Every structure is written in C-alpha cells, then in structure tokens.
Amino acid sequence: MNVLAAGDVSPGLLGFVVVAFLGFALYFLVKSMNKQMSKIQVPHEGDVDDKKAE
C-alpha cells in the first residue's frame, strides 16, 4: 500500500465510479426530460386570441 504525503489527494477507483455514475444518471435524466417536453402541446399565439374573441 502506498503512503501518501500530507498534501497528496487520490480519489482512486471509487471516486471515478461515483462520477461516472452521476454522468450516466444525468444523461438519462436529460434524455427523459426531452421526451416529456416534446409531448407538451403549446398553443400558438393566434389560437389563444381566437378563443378570447369568442
């Protein structure tokens, strides 16, 4: 086992795995968000004005 000096920092394999997992989770969350956002139907400005006139 390596003994590190007082100022040395080494996250090692666990740090890499945690960062990689967060990256994959963020990727899938953004992908899911884009899918949900594409389902939203926003009315056009002209459609809203026509309904108010009625």
Side-chain angles (χ1 to χ4, degrees):
M1 183 169 187
N2 295 339
V3 177
L4 299 175
D8 291 343
V9 176
S10 177
L13 180 62
L14 180 62
F16 173 75
V17 169
V18 169
V19 171
F21 175 75
L22 289 173
F24 283 120
L26 180 64
Y27 171 76
F28 286 113
L29 284 171
V30 169
K31 190 174 175 182
S32 174
M33 180 190 69
N34 284 333
K35 188 165 94 173
Q36 296 298 322
M37 292 289 281
S38 67
K39 292 180 182 179
I40 298 174
Q41 295 181 354
V42 179
H44 295 293
E45 192 172 321
D47 295 341
V48 175
D49 291 339
D50 292 341
K51 288 182 181 178
K52 285 183 182 177
E54 292 175 359

